[in-house]
Amino acid sequence: MNRVILPGSTIGLLGSGQLGRMTALAARRMGYRVHTFSPGEDTPTGQVADLEITAEYEDLDAIRAFAKGVQVITFEFENVSTEAAAAAAEIVPVRPHGSALHVTQQRSREKGFLADHGFPVTPCEGVHTLDELAVALGRIGVPAIVKTAAFGYDGKGQHRVASIEDADRVWGLVGHQEAIVERVVDFSLELSVVAARGLDGTFAHFGVIENEHRNHILDLSVSPARVPDDVAAEAISIARAVVEQLDYVGVLCVEFFLTRNGRLLVNEIAPRPHNSGHLTFDACVTSQFEQQVRAVCGLPLGATTQMRPAAMVNLLGELWTDGEPDWGGALALPDVKLHLYGKPDPRPRRKMGHVTALADTVEGAVEMAVAARALLA
Ligand SMILES: Nc1ncnc2c1ncn2[C@@H]1O[C@H](COP(=O)(O)OP(=O)(O)O)[C@@H](O)[C@H]1O
Ligand SMILES: [Mg+2]
């Protein structure tokens, strides 16, 4: 089913968060209609879509009914079940296909895929019981991080273990479910490559992006990353090999650690546009969101040329502690772009929006993005 889905058609999005919102905005600009499906109401995506369907992802009849109203389905939420992706695929093309989702939505499967294909990964082990956790910690060493195998994002379900005696407490926090144990990587930088593969196999990428996390949540992204050319080339070639091995169609992000001795390790794969690629919306000829629309619709990929150095900072719920932030203050900086996701409830650690700053140098962009956020507080 290598059909091209032309503007005027309807794209179905499983999931309804900010990634869907920005994908929908890009799609609508190109003349597509957008339907979104999730358990939520008045969602970030629903607010800008033509139609918002509220149902559970497990409701396969609702998924099939949704699929009948659209010409192609993609997702912005990687924890949609493979059954749901398969039910949709009975009716319309699902891009990327459900098996890419299956591999990447569960950490042990994803690590297995990466290791089996020879990609460099963090030393890790899957565990199902407290005893297995204790044994794995003995082998991997401490400090380590225990991560639930499924449904993790923004550091949710992650716990640092300082000593083997800590295993009991952490197993309680993990909630006695399948988990992976990873050695804490002593990295000098975190990097990501947002890449895309078209229906015809064409590859495109947005270069290497430098990322800083705070409390396991992305805080700052900078593009282009300040890394040697050979590191950048290797990261891009790994991203290319990942999309090719997965026979992927759409946008995907590979997150990396750059160790202090200059080695790249793959941290994880996100089968969708990624927070670190938000700066492409303002800084590149084609954004990661438009690229996703082009790829899943079978259109030619767009140029990823970056027009100016850029930095992005996330705006989390904490920013609302003393009331509504001072938007006007930050927007007085003319090279700052504000993005808000329409979420009514600013809970701590919740991603509410981001700002992107453009400048002549990456240092200037970082300085301005950070200054803009400081003006909001
Ligand atoms: N093994 C590790 N060593 C060092 N830092 C880590 C490790 N695993 C996770 N982190 C930190 O936590 C962040 C989020 O972890 P990640 O595995 O990417 O989960 P999520 O799915 O929540 O993004 C990483 O970007 C990194 O900053
Ligand atoms: Mg991550």
Side-chain angles (χ1 to χ4, degrees), residues 316-321 324 343-350 352:
L316 301 185
E318 286 84 339
L319 198 61
W320 275 251
T321 307
E324 192 70 12
K343 298 181 186 177
D345 179 19
R347 290 193 299 271
R349 296 174 69 91
R350 190 171 200 209
M352 301 296 292

Coordinates of all heavy atoms in Angstrom, one line a residue, residues 316-321 324 343-350 352:
L316 N 8.1 24.2 32.0 CA 7.4 23.2 32.8 C 6.4 23.9 33.7 O 6.5 25.1 34.0 CB 8.4 22.4 33.6 CG 9.5 21.6 32.9 CD1 10.3 20.8 33.8 CD2 8.9 20.8 31.7
G317 N 5.5 23.1 34.3 CA 4.4 23.6 35.1 C 4.9 24.5 36.3 O 4.2 25.4 36.7
E318 N 6.1 24.2 36.8 CA 6.6 24.9 37.9 C 6.7 26.5 37.7 O 6.6 27.3 38.6 CB 8.1 24.5 38.3 CG 8.2 23.2 38.9 CD 8.3 22.0 37.9 OE1 7.8 22.2 36.8 OE2 8.7 21.0 38.3
L319 N 6.8 26.8 36.4 CA 6.9 28.2 36.0 C 5.6 29.0 36.4 O 5.6 30.2 36.5 CB 7.1 28.3 34.5 CG 7.6 29.5 33.9 CD1 9.0 29.9 34.4 CD2 7.7 29.4 32.3
W320 N 4.5 28.3 36.6 CA 3.2 28.9 37.0 C 3.1 29.1 38.5 O 2.0 29.5 38.9 CB 2.1 28.1 36.4 CG 1.7 28.4 35.0 CD1 0.6 29.0 34.5 CD2 2.5 28.0 33.8 NE1 0.6 29.1 33.2 CE2 1.7 28.5 32.7 CE3 3.7 27.4 33.5 CZ2 2.1 28.3 31.4 CZ3 4.1 27.2 32.2 CH2 3.4 27.7 31.2
T321 N 4.1 28.7 39.3 CA 3.9 28.7 40.7 C 3.4 30.0 41.2 O 2.5 30.1 42.1 CB 5.3 28.4 41.4 OG1 5.8 27.2 40.8 CG2 5.2 28.2 42.9
E324 N 0.3 33.3 36.3 CA 0.6 33.3 34.9 C 1.9 34.0 34.6 O 2.2 35.1 35.0 CB -0.6 34.0 34.1 CG -0.6 33.8 32.6 CD -1.0 32.4 32.2 OE1 -1.5 31.6 33.0 OE2 -0.8 32.1 31.0
K343 N -2.4 23.5 27.5 CA -2.8 22.6 28.6 C -3.3 23.5 29.8 O -2.6 24.4 30.2 CB -1.6 21.8 29.1 CG -1.0 20.9 28.1 CD 0.2 20.1 28.6 CE 0.8 19.3 27.5 NZ 2.0 18.5 27.9
P344 N -4.5 23.2 30.3 CA -5.1 24.1 31.2 C -4.5 24.0 32.6 O -4.6 24.9 33.4 CB -6.6 23.6 31.3 CG -6.5 22.2 30.8 CD -5.4 22.1 29.9
D345 N -3.8 22.9 32.9 CA -3.5 22.6 34.3 C -1.9 22.5 34.5 O -1.4 21.4 34.2 CB -4.2 21.2 34.6 CG -3.9 20.8 36.0 OD1 -3.5 21.6 36.8 OD2 -4.1 19.5 36.3
P346 N -1.3 23.6 34.9 CA 0.2 23.6 35.0 C 0.8 22.8 36.2 O 1.2 23.4 37.2 CB 0.5 25.1 35.1 CG -0.7 25.7 35.7 CD -1.9 24.8 35.4
R347 N 0.7 21.5 36.1 CA 1.3 20.6 37.2 C 2.8 20.7 37.1 O 3.4 20.8 36.0 CB 0.8 19.2 37.1 CG -0.7 19.0 37.4 CD -1.0 17.5 37.5 NE -0.7 16.7 36.3 CZ -1.6 16.5 35.3 NH1 -2.8 17.1 35.4 NH2 -1.2 15.8 34.3
P348 N 3.5 20.5 38.3 CA 5.0 20.4 38.3 C 5.4 19.3 37.3 O 4.8 18.3 37.2 CB 5.3 20.1 39.7 CG 4.2 20.5 40.5 CD 2.9 20.4 39.7
R349 N 6.6 19.5 36.7 CA 7.2 18.6 35.7 C 6.4 18.4 34.4 O 6.8 17.6 33.6 CB 7.4 17.2 36.4 CG 8.4 17.2 37.5 CD 8.5 15.8 38.2 NE 9.1 14.8 37.4 CZ 10.4 14.5 37.4 NH1 11.2 15.2 38.2 NH2 10.9 13.6 36.6
R350 N 5.2 19.0 34.3 CA 4.5 18.9 33.1 C 5.0 19.8 32.0 O 5.2 21.0 32.3 CB 3.0 19.2 33.4 CG 2.1 18.8 32.3 CD 0.6 18.9 32.8 NE -0.2 18.2 31.9 CZ -1.5 18.5 31.6 NH1 -2.1 19.5 32.2 NH2 -2.2 17.7 30.8
M352 N 4.5 22.4 29.5 CA 3.4 23.3 29.1 C 3.7 24.0 27.8 O 2.8 24.5 27.2 CB 3.3 24.3 30.2 CG 3.0 23.7 31.6 SD 1.4 22.9 31.7 CE 0.3 24.3 31.5

